[in-house]
Amino acid sequence: MKNVVVVGSQWGDEGKGKIVDWLSSQADIVVRFQGGHNAGHTLVIDKKVFKLRLLPSGIVRKGKISILGNGVVIDPWSLLEEILEIKKKGVDVTPENFMISETASLILPFHQEMDEIRENAAGKRKIGTTKRGIGPCYEDKVGRRSIRVMDLRSESNLDNRLENVLLHHNAIRKGLKKKIYKKTEIKKKLMKIAPEILKFAKPIWLKLEEFKKDRKKILFEGAQGILLDVDHGTYPYVTSSNTVPAMAATGSGLSPDKIGYILGITKAYTTRVGSGPFPTELKNKIGETLGLRGKEFGTVTARKRRCGWFDGVLVRQTIKISGINGIALTKLDVLDELDEIKMCIKYELNGKKLDYLPAASDDQFKIKPIYKSFQGWKTNTKGIRNIKDLPENAKKYIFALEDFIGAKISSISTSPEREDTILIEDPFKD
């Protein structure tokens, strides 16, 4: 029996929501360990669509426990709104099936405003953030001035913590000629929702230790993708947290040796939201076709995603960095109508061939992809649940992809529906 970590191997939006939901049928516990309400998951269950922003995907399944770990940053108002929305769709959210780490940091109104101010002022240097306050909240966490869930338990403690964080933010806001935040206003808003938030608060590291002793299966759900990792991604066009699988331990409190299998969700082509380098981007009719067939719009922001060919160099690199054991290949059916399909197998930079993505941002924008071409299958693969039933050209593409990236393809998704999945290797089984 293994505990499984699910991460995106590209720039996010690989279809983690469906895969996590599919795997959660075997899991007892589903844990989010980083990110915030900037990363959405879309689930399609019995033709009912659930768009989750902060809640773990396991919340839609009865009998499962969903957890937000200490590595997550939480907008408490957005969380309560999301809970209300999903309750209206018939999903129960109670302290018995949903828990929040008492040490998770809270996103406050001035975090979101600061995010917007910086991004709007950046001009052509925009990072492409969702303007939801994620980055500024992580900055306060690292600066040891954030408000954490546990701080809502004591008014006097909250007073002290707010004075500390506002001393920092109001100094910046004065310089930017923005309104100054009053401690009493924010405190009043926080104390009003404190009981609703605190009823879910637990020492998650301790709860995970109990679950481990009880031999519960734990599924860790990552947000975004490894190429958006603040250390290993396309910096500075990245998110503000570590998105690599190692963060599952740090962001939850479970010891690293208890993580048994790392599953990398990988789209059969490549997409990216926001600014930043994208070597295989297709600014043509094929790119438009991929976007339309794949419904490539952000769950949270509705922003149109940039689309391109599968970048084998990048995925191979993220596999090596993260220790991915198996790949869940998604959206294969989006490629069904194409005459020719390409895979990036190398880069060219200033006349030299490279088999990895250079670290310098300027170089990342300059590199040119070198492709290997495959004949399309021109046949509908949507809903296929057995690899034997896939067209031969689709299998050739899949096996070539598997061979190049150096990781076993453990499952293939052929539609957004939970059941339309070809299982080759079960991550939970030894």
Side-chain angles (χ1 to χ4, degrees):
M1 184 175 65
K2 301 173 182 175
N3 296 320
V4 177
V5 180
V6 175
V7 292
S9 70
Q10 296 154 305
W11 278 293
D13 309 309
E14 300 95 349
K16 291 183 293 297
K18 173 198 165 170
I19 301 298
V20 170
D21 171 62
W22 178 64
L23 286 172
S24 65
S25 63
Q26 298 182 65
D28 302 298
I29 321 292
V30 182
V31 184
R32 274 278 308 269
F33 56 86
Q34 50 76 222
H37 65 309
N38 57 335
H41 294 317
T42 301
L43 309 179
V44 182
I45 301 166
D46 298 327
K47 303 197 183 301
K48 187 181 286 188
V49 178
F50 296 90
K51 292 183 181 289
L52 304 178
R53 301 180 294 277
L54 193 57
L55 292 171
S57 299
I59 199 72
V60 299
R61 283 189 180 269
K62 290 183 178 179
K64 312 296 178 181
I65 296 174
S66 293
I67 292 173
L68 296 181
N70 54 277
V72 179
V73 288
I74 300 170
D75 181 325
W77 296 278
S78 179
L79 174 61
L80 293 176
E81 183 182 312
E82 189 174 345
I83 289 172
L84 186 61
E85 285 174 10
I86 202 164
K87 279 185 173 181
K88 288 178 180 177
K89 292 191 174 184
V91 177
D92 287 331
V93 182
T94 69
E96 283 68 47
N97 74 339
F98 178 58
M99 301 175 188
I100 303 171
S101 171
E102 59 186 5
T103 58
S105 294
L106 298 178
I107 298 173
L108 301 177
F110 48 78
H111 290 133
Q112 185 168 340
E113 283 189 32
M114 184 54 65
D115 216 352
E116 292 175 356
I117 290 167
R118 288 176 181 168
E119 191 72 353
N120 293 338
K124 292 181 180 180
R125 301 189 308 277
K126 278 183 170 61
I127 298 298
T129 77
T130 56
K131 301 179 183 179
R132 277 163 169 71
I134 310 296
C137 184
Y138 274 118
E139 288 176 36
D140 280 349
K141 178 179 179 177
V142 174
R144 295 164 295 199
R145 56 180 173 264
S146 68
I147 308 297
R148 303 198 289 178
V149 172
M150 66 175 68
D151 294 324
L152 301 180
R153 290 189 179 129
S154 163
E155 280 197 52
S156 60
N157 184 54
L158 185 57
D159 267 330
N160 294 332
R161 302 300 303 145
L162 282 171
E163 281 179 14
N164 188 40
V165 72
L166 288 176
L167 181 67
H168 171 81
H169 280 273
N170 281 339
I172 296 173
R173 296 180 71 85
K174 277 182 184 178
L176 295 171
K177 295 182 171 53
K178 300 295 180 181
K179 77 165 188 175
I180 301 303
Y181 270 91
K182 294 181 180 178
K183 181 184 72 173
T184 53
E185 291 177 1
I186 298 178
K187 179 185 172 184
K188 184 178 179 181
K189 289 179 180 179
L190 285 172
M191 292 312 297
K192 183 177 179 181
I193 62 169
E196 286 299 306
I197 296 296
L198 288 172
K199 71 182 182 183
F200 300 114
K202 299 277 194 316
I204 294 304
W205 67 271
L206 187 57
K207 296 300 294 183
L208 289 176
E209 179 67 19
E210 292 172 9
F211 295 142
K212 189 174 64 178
K213 286 180 179 177
D214 291 339
R215 297 185 60 78
K216 301 291 186 183
K217 291 182 184 178
I218 307 172
L219 181 63
F220 293 90
E221 175 183 3
Q224 291 103 14
I226 292 169
L227 291 170
L228 292 176
D229 184 276
V230 71
D231 285 298
H232 300 287
T234 48
Y235 190 91
Y237 302 94
V238 293
T239 193
S240 300
S241 62
N242 287 111
T243 60
V244 290
M247 185 64 188
T250 307
S252 67
L254 185 77
S255 55
D257 63 317
K258 296 302 182 290
I259 293 170
Y261 191 98
I262 299 169
L263 180 66
I265 314 302
T266 306
K267 200 175 283 185
Y269 50 101
T270 310
T271 63
R272 175 164 200 169
V273 172
S275 307
F278 187 168
T280 63
E281 183 173 11
L282 295 170
K283 297 179 180 179
N284 56 21
K285 188 176 180 181
I286 295 175
E288 288 292 324
T289 299
L290 292 174
L292 289 171
R293 283 183 56 80
K295 296 181 174 60
E296 298 296 352
F297 298 91
T299 300
V300 172
T301 62
R303 287 188 297 178
K304 187 178 178 181
R305 296 173 188 146
R306 300 153 65 191
C307 297
W309 295 122
F310 182 81
D311 193 328
V313 180
L314 277 181
V315 173
R316 184 173 60 185
Q317 185 167 321
T318 61
I319 286 169
K320 290 177 179 178
I321 288 167
S322 61
I324 285 171
N325 301 109
I327 290 292
L329 191 67
T330 63
K331 293 201 170 184
L332 181 71
D333 56 300
V334 174
L335 304 177
D336 285 351
E337 294 182 358
L338 299 178
D339 295 312
E340 182 185 38
I341 296 163
K342 295 183 179 182
M343 180 195 305
C344 177
I345 57 169
K346 200 159 282 199
Y347 297 137
E348 183 179 322
L349 176 65
N350 300 325
K352 293 182 179 180
K353 302 288 176 62
L354 293 176
D355 58 2
Y356 67 94
L357 184 73
S361 182
D362 286 350
D363 288 341
Q364 292 173 1
F365 278 107
K366 290 177 187 174
I367 57 176
K368 295 178 181 178
I370 297 172
Y371 291 114
K372 181 177 180 178
S373 295
F374 299 84
Q375 188 176 343
W377 42 92
K378 304 287 287 182
T379 305
N380 183 28
T381 62
K382 188 172 184 178
I384 289 178
R385 300 179 187 180
N386 191 315
I387 195 166
K388 294 178 181 178
D389 297 328
L390 288 173
E392 284 304 310
N393 283 346
K395 285 189 273 190
K396 285 179 183 177
Y397 176 69
I398 291 165
F399 296 144
L401 185 152
E402 180 181 59
D403 183 63
F404 183 82
I405 62 177
K408 182 179 177 63
I409 292 178
S410 61
S411 63
I412 303 166
S413 173
T414 56
S415 96
E417 290 288 345
R418 180 192 283 167
E419 293 80 10
D420 291 339
T421 305
I422 299 169
L423 179 63
I424 302 168
E425 177 181 84
D426 189 339
F428 276 111
K429 291 184 180 177
D430 292 319

